[in-house]
Amino acid sequence: MKIAFHGAARTVTGSKHLLTLDDGTTYLLDCGMFQGMGRQTDDMNREWGFDPASIDFLILSHAHIDHSGLIPKLFKDGFKGVIFCTPPTKELTSILLEDSAQIQESDARYSNKKRRLDHLPDLQPMYTANDARQVMKLFVHVDYDTWFRINDSVELMYTDAGHIIGSAAVHLRITENKTSKQLSFSGDVGRYHDMILRPPQTFSQADYLILESTYGDKLHGTEGETPKTLLGWIKRTCLEKKGKLIIPAFSLGRTQELLIALNELEQQKILPALEYFVDSPMSIEVTETVKKFPKYFNDAIQHTLLTDKDPFAFEGLHYIKTAEESKTLNYLNRPCVIISASGMADSGRVKHHISNNVENSHNTILMVGYAEPRSLAGRLKNGEREVSIFGVTHEVHAEIGSMTSMSAHGDYEDLMRFVSNQQTSELKQIFLVHGEYDVQQKFRQRLLDAGFPGVDIPERHAEFELS
């Protein structure tokens, strides 16, 4: 059998790993969208490196767009196979893909107005909302901790990865020539003391492991710091500077963690009496979906639920639904907190909020998760003093902050703990994916020092024979 890496290879986003068995059957692990790659992003998302119609099965680790975002395009380009995922992932992916399609259609309409003035041909979205709806008919959900037989050669089991609701590590038990091997793919590994979720589960011995490495060279702050640190930013920005605190946050995962932290501050009776806006229609839908799966919450949230029926709500919280309501926040001249998607600030309503607030020194833009260096969030985080937003150059006078304690990705200690139950003598090969190359090189050395043999860092489209 062979494995080829068509995305998230020496970069963080675009997860796509193609397994081909000796009998020609193909299994695509994730089908994610590249994000935050600057001008290359669109071209990278339109070029597969394989024939979508040739894929027999798609096995999805979780719903985040950098793992699921090209599924409708795969369908549009010829894929007609079966898509496996956990029950929460199926519901969340449906929400995220339709939202992604609507954004693409809107962006295309906006761009084409300008292109027509220049007598240029129209741009087409990679896929439409109808494509996103149609492909959901191919989804089949598989519960955690159960070996599910796909066919005579392959069984699938999911274990909880603790990254977002429904996230999973993928384990394939593959039988060829009367020999059985296990290939495991970590998906995105969560943290062992997450604010909301259960910790990542242990998993049976693998022969081959595809392992994410986003934070392979970093240690995060402890999760217990989050409410206290967030309170400090609210006080500094809204009470002392009398400004707005703008928080770019992905609608799935990070927004819910922020709401939990703010609720905790209210429970302690120390949450400042301000207006807190969640400006993302999708965040509302996602939050309601997350609430439907309380059995995946950790013990702390289970305990909170005994006395607080809705740990995602608190005094002063407002959900913004319409574009008109969102625009009115630009004219709000009093201190407030605005949580809005996307987390990398390259799309969505938060891009408008940054555009309208980044030149005011009273305001703060607070990053609470990973941002590709070329994304708007990444450029702000890296200290650029001028940024272009919607073709307009803005001087950066707002304070730029960061909270590393909120990352949903495990740091290198979490990643090492994730692989700690694997016997180094039996694990033939590790492939590092989902990481910047310099980070991956450092993490590779850490794995080698721990006794793991054969740690590779594949380039995009690289293919390996698994003996």
Side-chain angles (χ1 to χ4, degrees):
M1 58 183 170
K2 298 179 291 188
I3 185 78
F5 299 89
H6 296 290
R10 302 191 182 184
T11 187
V12 172
T13 60
S15 180
K16 285 182 288 292
H17 316 302
L18 180 59
L19 177 69
T20 305
L21 300 194
D22 291 344
D23 65 5
T25 311
T26 52
Y27 302 78
L28 186 62
L29 306 179
D30 286 348
C31 188
M33 185 179 287
F34 289 100
Q35 296 175 296
M37 304 298 291
R39 294 180 180 179
Q40 302 175 54
T41 307
D42 188 68
D43 289 342
M44 292 174 72
N45 280 324
R46 292 179 186 271
E47 191 270 311
W48 291 110
F50 56 88
D51 177 11
S54 71
I55 305 300
D56 296 300
F57 302 98
L58 169 57
I59 300 171
L60 182 59
S61 66
H62 65 286
H64 274 150
I65 287 294
D66 64 319
H67 291 255
S68 72
L70 289 183
I71 292 176
K73 177 173 166 55
L74 191 78
F75 172 74
K76 182 180 177 180
D77 290 354
F79 171 75
K80 296 296 183 287
V82 181
I83 303 170
F84 299 104
C85 65
T86 65
T89 294
K90 182 178 179 181
E91 291 199 33
L92 292 168
T93 301
S94 177
I95 297 169
L96 267 63
L97 292 183
E98 187 153 352
D99 179 76
S100 173
Q102 290 170 353
I103 289 172
Q104 290 180 58
E105 290 177 303
S106 175
D107 288 349
R109 286 193 296 269
Y110 178 79
S111 296
N112 288 336
K113 287 179 183 178
K114 294 184 176 181
R115 291 177 66 86
R116 287 166 191 163
L117 292 175
D118 296 329
H119 306 289
L120 295 171
D122 281 358
L123 293 175
Q124 299 299 319
M126 286 186 291
Y127 54 84
T128 65
N130 184 59
D131 295 322
R133 288 189 290 269
Q134 291 299 315
V135 76
M136 294 308 301
K137 297 176 182 178
L138 303 180
F139 276 66
V140 173
H141 62 76
V142 176
D143 290 324
Y144 288 123
D145 304 320
T146 302
W147 283 106
F148 176 88
R149 181 165 290 282
I150 296 176
N151 54 33
D152 290 342
S153 300
V154 176
E155 292 177 277
L156 160 68
M157 186 168 75
Y158 283 125
T159 54
D160 197 339
H163 174 63
I164 59 171
I165 288 285
S167 63
V170 175
H171 311 286
L172 297 177
R173 198 154 57 190
I174 303 162
T175 302
E176 290 186 309
N177 303 315
K178 299 181 181 181
T179 302
S180 182
K181 302 289 183 184
Q182 181 169 313
L183 170 74
S184 292
F185 167 42
S186 67
D188 282 347
V189 179
R191 306 187 65 185
Y192 283 83
H193 300 283
D194 188 83
M195 291 181 64
I196 300 175
L197 303 176
R198 303 180 302 187
Q201 290 179 271
T202 58
F203 58 100
S204 56
Q205 181 64 47
D207 296 283
Y208 303 98
L209 175 62
I210 303 170
L211 179 62
E212 74 112 325
S213 53
T214 308
Y215 285 110
D217 68 339
K218 290 182 175 61
L219 288 175
H220 300 319
T222 62
E223 294 77 2
E225 297 174 0
T226 294
K228 180 181 177 182
T229 305
L230 183 57
L231 178 61
W233 283 109
I234 293 170
K235 286 181 174 179
R236 176 175 173 79
T237 303
C238 301
L239 303 186
E240 295 174 16
K241 297 195 296 180
K242 307 297 182 185
K244 294 179 182 178
L245 179 60
I246 313 294
I247 307 179
F250 291 110
S251 296
L252 174 53
R254 196 53 36 79
T255 294
Q256 290 75 44
E257 290 177 353
L258 286 164
L259 295 179
I260 288 282
L262 292 166
N263 175 278
E264 184 176 324
L265 293 173
E266 184 189 53
Q267 295 296 310
Q268 297 174 23
K269 303 188 186 306
I270 55 176
L271 182 68
L274 297 165
E275 292 173 290
Y276 299 83
F277 298 98
V278 175
D279 186 14
S280 167
M282 187 172 68
S283 292
I284 304 171
E285 194 173 0
V286 166
T287 302
E288 290 304 313
T289 302
V290 168
K291 290 178 186 178
K292 291 167 61 177
F293 297 97
K295 68 179 181 179
Y296 301 131
F297 296 164
N298 61 30
D299 291 342
I301 301 299
Q302 299 286 358
H303 182 74
T304 299
L305 286 169
L306 297 176
T307 56
D308 186 350
K309 292 183 179 179
D310 191 352
F312 300 95
F314 51 88
E315 190 68 29
L317 175 63
H318 305 280
Y319 282 102
I320 302 298
K321 296 182 180 179
T322 68
E324 290 70 26
E325 289 177 306
S326 179
K327 290 173 184 176
T328 63
L329 297 181
N330 296 328
Y331 306 103
L332 194 65
N333 291 321
R334 55 185 180 271
C336 64
V337 177
I338 300 173
I339 302 167
S340 187
S342 73
M344 293 193 198
D346 265 351
S347 62
R349 293 180 181 179
V350 77
K351 195 171 180 180
H352 294 273
H353 292 306
I354 293 174
S355 175
N356 285 293
N357 290 281
V358 74
E359 295 189 353
N360 188 331
S361 62
H362 294 282
N363 301 328
T364 299
I365 316 297
L366 179 61
M367 310 305 176
V368 293
Y370 179 79
E372 282 278 3
R374 283 170 282 187
S375 67
L376 175 57
R379 287 181 282 131
L380 289 169
K381 195 173 179 179
N382 290 334
E384 291 192 15
R385 303 315 303 166
E386 287 188 350
V387 290
S388 177
I389 307 174
F390 300 120
V392 178
T393 299
H394 295 268
E395 292 185 0
V396 179
H397 296 294
E399 185 173 0
I400 308 300
S402 178
M403 280 177 51
T404 60
S405 64
M406 290 206 71
S407 176
H409 284 266
D411 58 22
Y412 68 72
E413 286 188 347
D414 292 312
L415 293 170
M416 293 302 294
R417 183 172 175 179
F418 180 76
V419 300
S420 63
N421 73 318
Q422 297 292 293
Q423 297 296 317
T424 58
S425 59
E426 296 183 36
L427 187 56
K428 296 179 175 62
Q429 208 162 3
I430 296 177
F431 299 99
L432 293 185
V433 294
H434 304 275
E436 296 166 21
Y437 186 48
D438 59 333
V439 173
Q440 291 180 308
Q441 289 174 305
K442 294 173 186 175
F443 187 53
R444 175 180 182 273
Q445 189 59 53
R446 189 175 295 276
L447 288 166
L448 292 172
D449 291 344
F452 289 98
V455 183
D456 289 287
I457 308 174
E459 294 183 274
R460 188 177 177 212
H461 302 314
E463 185 175 79
F464 293 77
E465 185 79 33
L466 305 183
S467 59

mmCIF file of all heavy atoms in Angstrom, residues 440-463:
data_model
loop_
_atom_site.group_PDB
_atom_site.id
_atom_site.type_symbol
_atom_site.label_atom_id
_atom_site.label_comp_id
_atom_site.label_asym_id
_atom_site.label_seq_id
_atom_site.Cartn_x
_atom_site.Cartn_y
_atom_site.Cartn_z
ATOM 1 N N GLN A 440 8.253 21.473 12.528
ATOM 2 C CA GLN A 440 8.265 20.024 12.360
ATOM 3 C C GLN A 440 9.665 19.445 12.540
ATOM 4 O O GLN A 440 9.824 18.347 13.099
ATOM 5 C CB GLN A 440 7.730 19.664 10.971
ATOM 6 C CG GLN A 440 6.240 19.954 10.814
ATOM 7 C CD GLN A 440 5.745 19.595 9.430
ATOM 8 O OE1 GLN A 440 6.312 20.014 8.437
ATOM 9 N NE2 GLN A 440 4.680 18.823 9.366
ATOM 10 N N GLN A 441 10.673 20.158 12.081
ATOM 11 C CA GLN A 441 12.037 19.665 12.244
ATOM 12 C C GLN A 441 12.417 19.552 13.721
ATOM 13 O O GLN A 441 13.062 18.592 14.147
ATOM 14 C CB GLN A 441 13.012 20.587 11.511
ATOM 15 C CG GLN A 441 12.913 20.483 9.994
ATOM 16 C CD GLN A 441 13.780 21.519 9.295
ATOM 17 O OE1 GLN A 441 13.672 22.715 9.532
ATOM 18 N NE2 GLN A 441 14.659 21.043 8.430
ATOM 19 N N LYS A 442 11.983 20.531 14.514
ATOM 20 C CA LYS A 442 12.267 20.483 15.960
ATOM 21 C C LYS A 442 11.507 19.341 16.623
ATOM 22 O O LYS A 442 12.052 18.637 17.478
ATOM 23 C CB LYS A 442 11.895 21.818 16.601
ATOM 24 C CG LYS A 442 12.741 22.985 16.138
ATOM 25 C CD LYS A 442 12.212 24.302 16.684
ATOM 26 C CE LYS A 442 12.966 25.479 16.091
ATOM 27 N NZ LYS A 442 12.389 26.792 16.525
ATOM 28 N N PHE A 443 10.261 19.154 16.217
ATOM 29 C CA PHE A 443 9.463 18.095 16.821
ATOM 30 C C PHE A 443 9.959 16.719 16.383
ATOM 31 O O PHE A 443 9.942 15.763 17.172
ATOM 32 C CB PHE A 443 7.983 18.270 16.463
ATOM 33 C CG PHE A 443 7.070 17.324 17.190
ATOM 34 C CD1 PHE A 443 7.110 17.215 18.574
ATOM 35 C CD2 PHE A 443 6.172 16.535 16.490
ATOM 36 C CE1 PHE A 443 6.272 16.337 19.255
ATOM 37 C CE2 PHE A 443 5.333 15.654 17.153
ATOM 38 C CZ PHE A 443 5.388 15.553 18.541
ATOM 39 N N ARG A 444 10.417 16.630 15.143
ATOM 40 C CA ARG A 444 10.991 15.367 14.662
ATOM 41 C C ARG A 444 12.150 14.948 15.556
ATOM 42 O O ARG A 444 12.262 13.777 15.943
ATOM 43 C CB ARG A 444 11.469 15.526 13.217
ATOM 44 C CG ARG A 444 12.182 14.302 12.658
ATOM 45 C CD ARG A 444 12.645 14.527 11.218
ATOM 46 N NE ARG A 444 13.280 13.330 10.677
ATOM 47 C CZ ARG A 444 14.560 13.036 10.806
ATOM 48 N NH1 ARG A 444 15.373 13.880 11.475
ATOM 49 N NH2 ARG A 444 15.050 11.920 10.289
ATOM 50 N N GLN A 445 13.013 15.900 15.899
ATOM 51 C CA GLN A 445 14.161 15.577 16.751
ATOM 52 C C GLN A 445 13.705 15.129 18.134
ATOM 53 O O GLN A 445 14.288 14.216 18.729
ATOM 54 C CB GLN A 445 15.092 16.789 16.860
ATOM 55 C CG GLN A 445 16.420 16.468 17.548
ATOM 56 C CD GLN A 445 17.190 15.375 16.815
ATOM 57 O OE1 GLN A 445 17.434 15.463 15.614
ATOM 58 N NE2 GLN A 445 17.574 14.314 17.541
ATOM 59 N N ARG A 446 12.640 15.740 18.629
ATOM 60 C CA ARG A 446 12.106 15.348 19.941
ATOM 61 C C ARG A 446 11.627 13.888 19.902
ATOM 62 O O ARG A 446 11.837 13.123 20.846
ATOM 63 C CB ARG A 446 10.969 16.294 20.330
ATOM 64 C CG ARG A 446 10.465 16.130 21.758
ATOM 65 C CD ARG A 446 9.423 17.198 22.090
ATOM 66 N NE ARG A 446 10.003 18.525 22.069
ATOM 67 C CZ ARG A 446 10.645 19.082 23.085
ATOM 68 N NH1 ARG A 446 10.802 18.407 24.209
ATOM 69 N NH2 ARG A 446 11.117 20.309 22.973
ATOM 70 N N LEU A 447 10.952 13.505 18.813
ATOM 71 C CA LEU A 447 10.485 12.124 18.663
ATOM 72 C C LEU A 447 11.660 11.154 18.535
ATOM 73 O O LEU A 447 11.653 10.065 19.123
ATOM 74 C CB LEU A 447 9.571 12.015 17.443
ATOM 75 C CG LEU A 447 8.185 12.655 17.577
ATOM 76 C CD1 LEU A 447 7.529 12.790 16.202
ATOM 77 C CD2 LEU A 447 7.289 11.840 18.513
ATOM 78 N N LEU A 448 12.673 11.531 17.761
ATOM 79 C CA LEU A 448 13.845 10.680 17.608
ATOM 80 C C LEU A 448 14.557 10.488 18.940
ATOM 81 O O LEU A 448 14.984 9.375 19.284
ATOM 82 C CB LEU A 448 14.805 11.276 16.577
ATOM 83 C CG LEU A 448 14.318 11.295 15.118
ATOM 84 C CD1 LEU A 448 15.289 12.082 14.242
ATOM 85 C CD2 LEU A 448 14.147 9.869 14.577
ATOM 86 N N ASP A 449 14.662 11.565 19.715
ATOM 87 C CA ASP A 449 15.308 11.481 21.030
ATOM 88 C C ASP A 449 14.535 10.562 21.973
ATOM 89 O O ASP A 449 15.114 9.969 22.898
ATOM 90 C CB ASP A 449 15.422 12.867 21.658
ATOM 91 C CG ASP A 449 16.416 13.772 20.932
ATOM 92 O OD1 ASP A 449 17.228 13.237 20.146
ATOM 93 O OD2 ASP A 449 16.367 15.001 21.138
ATOM 94 N N ALA A 450 13.207 10.463 21.744
ATOM 95 C CA ALA A 450 12.376 9.588 22.580
ATOM 96 C C ALA A 450 12.419 8.134 22.111
ATOM 97 O O ALA A 450 11.750 7.278 22.712
ATOM 98 C CB ALA A 450 10.930 10.096 22.584
ATOM 99 N N GLY A 451 13.155 7.861 21.029
ATOM 100 C CA GLY A 451 13.331 6.486 20.579
ATOM 101 C C GLY A 451 12.454 6.070 19.425
ATOM 102 O O GLY A 451 12.482 4.894 19.012
ATOM 103 N N PHE A 452 11.675 7.001 18.846
ATOM 104 C CA PHE A 452 10.832 6.641 17.701
ATOM 105 C C PHE A 452 11.680 6.634 16.428
ATOM 106 O O PHE A 452 12.322 7.635 16.104
ATOM 107 C CB PHE A 452 9.673 7.626 17.555
ATOM 108 C CG PHE A 452 8.631 7.499 18.622
ATOM 109 C CD1 PHE A 452 8.629 8.348 19.714
ATOM 110 C CD2 PHE A 452 7.656 6.515 18.553
ATOM 111 C CE1 PHE A 452 7.674 8.230 20.714
ATOM 112 C CE2 PHE A 452 6.693 6.383 19.542
ATOM 113 C CZ PHE A 452 6.705 7.240 20.631
ATOM 114 N N PRO A 453 11.666 5.533 15.693
ATOM 115 C CA PRO A 453 12.467 5.468 14.457
ATOM 116 C C PRO A 453 11.676 6.002 13.272
ATOM 117 O O PRO A 453 10.446 6.115 13.312
ATOM 118 C CB PRO A 453 12.708 3.968 14.302
ATOM 119 C CG PRO A 453 11.466 3.340 14.876
ATOM 120 C CD PRO A 453 11.015 4.253 16.001
ATOM 121 N N GLY A 454 12.359 6.343 12.205
ATOM 122 C CA GLY A 454 11.704 6.630 10.935
ATOM 123 C C GLY A 454 10.682 7.742 10.987
ATOM 124 O O GLY A 454 9.519 7.508 10.675
ATOM 125 N N VAL A 455 11.091 8.958 11.354
ATOM 126 C CA VAL A 455 10.181 10.102 11.392
ATOM 127 C C VAL A 455 10.396 10.934 10.131
ATOM 128 O O VAL A 455 11.467 11.514 9.931
ATOM 129 C CB VAL A 455 10.405 10.975 12.644
ATOM 130 C CG1 VAL A 455 9.381 12.116 12.680
ATOM 131 C CG2 VAL A 455 10.311 10.130 13.908
ATOM 132 N N ASP A 456 9.375 10.982 9.264
ATOM 133 C CA ASP A 456 9.475 11.699 7.995
ATOM 134 C C ASP A 456 8.600 12.944 8.006
ATOM 135 O O ASP A 456 7.564 12.995 8.672
ATOM 136 C CB ASP A 456 9.032 10.795 6.843
ATOM 137 C CG ASP A 456 10.033 9.693 6.556
ATOM 138 O OD1 ASP A 456 11.100 9.988 6.008
ATOM 139 O OD2 ASP A 456 9.741 8.524 6.905
ATOM 140 N N ILE A 457 9.022 13.946 7.225
ATOM 141 C CA ILE A 457 8.254 15.185 7.053
ATOM 142 C C ILE A 457 7.965 15.328 5.568
ATOM 143 O O ILE A 457 8.767 15.883 4.811
ATOM 144 C CB ILE A 457 9.029 16.410 7.577
ATOM 145 C CG1 ILE A 457 9.507 16.181 9.019
ATOM 146 C CG2 ILE A 457 8.158 17.666 7.487
ATOM 147 C CD1 ILE A 457 10.409 17.282 9.559
ATOM 148 N N PRO A 458 6.832 14.814 5.096
ATOM 149 C CA PRO A 458 6.579 14.777 3.659
ATOM 150 C C PRO A 458 6.383 16.163 3.049
ATOM 151 O O PRO A 458 5.810 17.059 3.671
ATOM 152 C CB PRO A 458 5.279 13.966 3.539
ATOM 153 C CG PRO A 458 5.084 13.311 4.866
ATOM 154 C CD PRO A 458 5.741 14.198 5.863
ATOM 155 N N GLU A 459 6.845 16.318 1.816
ATOM 156 C CA GLU A 459 6.496 17.473 1.009
ATOM 157 C C GLU A 459 5.117 17.246 0.393
ATOM 158 O O GLU A 459 4.628 16.110 0.332
ATOM 159 C CB GLU A 459 7.522 17.667 -0.108
ATOM 160 C CG GLU A 459 8.910 18.026 0.355
ATOM 161 C CD GLU A 459 9.846 18.264 -0.821
ATOM 162 O OE1 GLU A 459 10.420 17.270 -1.302
ATOM 163 O OE2 GLU A 459 9.961 19.422 -1.250
ATOM 164 N N ARG A 460 4.502 18.324 -0.100
ATOM 165 C CA ARG A 460 3.205 18.184 -0.745
ATOM 166 C C ARG A 460 3.327 17.300 -1.983
ATOM 167 O O ARG A 460 4.239 17.450 -2.787
ATOM 168 C CB ARG A 460 2.676 19.576 -1.118
ATOM 169 C CG ARG A 460 1.219 19.533 -1.621
ATOM 170 C CD ARG A 460 0.717 20.915 -1.912
ATOM 171 N NE ARG A 460 -0.649 20.867 -2.464
ATOM 172 C CZ ARG A 460 -1.127 21.714 -3.331
ATOM 173 N NH1 ARG A 460 -0.371 22.725 -3.767
ATOM 174 N NH2 ARG A 460 -2.360 21.618 -3.788
ATOM 175 N N HIS A 461 2.402 16.371 -2.115
ATOM 176 C CA HIS A 461 2.291 15.375 -3.196
ATOM 177 C C HIS A 461 3.325 14.252 -3.087
ATOM 178 O O HIS A 461 3.361 13.378 -3.965
ATOM 179 C CB HIS A 461 2.379 16.015 -4.583
ATOM 180 C CG HIS A 461 1.340 17.059 -4.834
ATOM 181 N ND1 HIS A 461 0.001 16.894 -4.528
ATOM 182 C CD2 HIS A 461 1.434 18.311 -5.383
ATOM 183 C CE1 HIS A 461 -0.669 17.979 -4.862
ATOM 184 N NE2 HIS A 461 0.153 18.855 -5.371
ATOM 185 N N ALA A 462 4.132 14.252 -2.019
ATOM 186 C CA ALA A 462 5.091 13.151 -1.856
ATOM 187 C C ALA A 462 4.353 11.850 -1.569
ATOM 188 O O ALA A 462 3.325 11.829 -0.888
ATOM 189 C CB ALA A 462 6.055 13.463 -0.721
ATOM 190 N N GLU A 463 4.872 10.726 -2.099
ATOM 191 C CA GLU A 463 4.244 9.420 -1.939
ATOM 192 C C GLU A 463 5.248 8.440 -1.332
ATOM 193 O O GLU A 463 6.422 8.458 -1.676
ATOM 194 C CB GLU A 463 3.760 8.902 -3.296
ATOM 195 C CG GLU A 463 2.981 7.597 -3.223
ATOM 196 C CD GLU A 463 2.424 7.193 -4.569
ATOM 197 O OE1 GLU A 463 3.196 6.657 -5.400
ATOM 198 O OE2 GLU A 463 1.207 7.428 -4.805
#
